[in-house]
Amino acid sequence: MGSPHLRPRYRMVADELRRRIAAGASPAGALLPSETALMAEFRVSRGTVREAISLLRAEGLVVTEHGRGSYARPALPVRRITSERYGRELDQLRSGRPIESPFPVNPDLPWSHYRLEKDFREVAATTTRAELFDVEVGTPLLERRFVFHAYGLAQQMSTSCLLLEMVTGTPLVDPDGEPWPGETAAQLHRLGITVTGVRERVRARMPDADEVDMLQLPSGVPVVTVTRQTYAGDRVVEVATDIVMPADRVELDYWITVD
């Protein structure tokens, strides 16, 4: 019987390939050696090599394409999301300064690198949304679905809901008006609604099939999801459910004031 401390051979192969990727010896986008070459180098079976590559795919380090082989996954830009972004945008509007970027979570992204898909529709509040808004089930809402594209990839999916009676007859119901500069807090400010607080609940999970396709996620990469309630005083004026972002392309940076 083998020693309980001896790592399985496929893990040893994966460890070395992971080290090469981290060190840049196998640069992003570069093909890894073929299965035959890895079998000869590590003196292991084809099954062992495949297990090692499968492990690296599950970690999001390697992508395998039929007819091409396996290669080190290119590193993508990481976007930094800060808790100060809502107040910063409102300060810019109050001072008359333009909001530089249309992308709500990256103020440094120029307009030329940005694209937005949007779909607006009127819906009735589900049980979950009614609880978040503190309204009756069936209350009319404006549902706005967005997919934010930057750097040539879909970077974020979100569904934002507004109370229909609050925005009927305003520019917020017109999808052709998007993208508005800034987030919902800035949009509501232009309607005379002052946002006084935002509550966000963040969790991580594995993506569903639609999210994998839209965000072009390799195997093993989870997503970060945010549920947001936007307040004007004691009233919830906007609810965003399932703001979805690839976990390896985003950094959450929150400042918490302790009285």
Side-chain angles (χ1 to χ4, degrees):
M1 182 178 296
S3 168
H5 301 293
L6 183 64
R7 289 174 65 78
R9 301 198 75 183
Y10 80 92
R11 287 187 175 270
M12 297 173 65
V13 174
D15 288 346
E16 174 58 20
L17 295 177
R18 188 187 302 107
R19 185 196 66 77
R20 294 176 187 178
I21 292 171
S26 295
L31 283 173
L32 300 182
S34 68
E35 289 183 355
T36 301
L38 291 173
M39 291 166 59
E41 177 182 355
F42 293 102
R43 298 182 180 180
V44 295
S45 68
R46 189 177 302 276
T48 297
V49 168
R50 288 180 175 177
E51 282 189 272
I53 297 298
S54 179
L55 178 60
L56 296 178
R57 274 200 307 270
E59 294 175 0
L61 294 176
V62 164
V63 176
T64 301
E65 292 184 3
H66 181 70
R68 182 184 178 192
S70 297
Y71 59 92
R73 184 183 176 217
L76 297 173
V78 175
R79 297 177 291 111
R80 181 168 169 264
I81 302 177
T82 71
S83 56
E84 294 92 352
R85 65 190 187 277
Y86 300 111
R88 181 178 62 242
E89 289 169 354
L90 289 174
D91 287 343
Q92 288 175 324
L93 286 171
R94 293 187 186 107
S95 65
R97 289 178 290 138
I99 294 176
E100 292 85 0
S101 171
F103 198 22
V105 293
N106 190 343
D108 299 321
L109 183 73
W111 287 80
S112 59
H113 294 177
Y114 170 87
R115 183 168 65 86
L116 176 69
E117 294 180 25
K118 65 248 183 171
D119 179 38
F120 285 24
R121 65 187 68 185
E122 295 181 12
V123 300
T126 61
T127 299
T128 298
R129 289 173 176 174
E131 290 177 354
L132 291 168
F133 270 111
D134 193 19
V135 297
E136 296 293 329
V137 173
T139 296
L141 304 176
L142 175 68
E143 179 188 84
R144 308 179 299 169
R145 293 181 179 268
F146 299 112
V147 180
F148 300 89
H149 294 258
Y151 311 111
L153 290 173
Q155 300 287 347
Q156 177 178 311
M157 305 165 62
S158 67
T159 302
S160 169
C161 291
L162 299 163
L163 296 166
L164 189 61
E165 56 88 14
M166 185 181 67
V167 297
T168 296
T170 74
L172 266 67
V173 303
D174 182 9
D176 291 337
E178 293 285 353
W180 282 52
E183 291 203 63
T184 301
Q187 298 175 351
L188 293 173
H189 178 76
R190 296 188 180 193
L191 300 184
I193 300 170
T194 300
V195 170
T196 57
V198 177
R199 180 184 184 185
E200 293 185 337
R201 278 168 279 185
V202 182
R203 63 184 292 256
R205 59 170 171 78
M206 296 309 295
D208 63 29
D210 289 339
E211 292 162 350
V212 168
D213 290 342
M214 178 60 70
L215 298 172
Q216 299 181 40
L217 298 173
S219 175
V221 175
V223 292
V224 173
T225 70
V226 180
T227 299
R228 179 179 69 212
Q229 292 168 288
T230 303
Y231 286 81
D234 294 331
R235 185 185 188 191
V236 178
V237 292
E238 184 256 0
V239 165
T241 55
D242 280 336
I243 300 173
V244 181
M245 299 164 284
D248 63 343
R249 298 181 222 165
V250 68
E251 176 183 82
L252 302 177
D253 186 351
Y254 287 91
W255 171 260
I256 301 173
T257 300
V258 179
D259 294 328

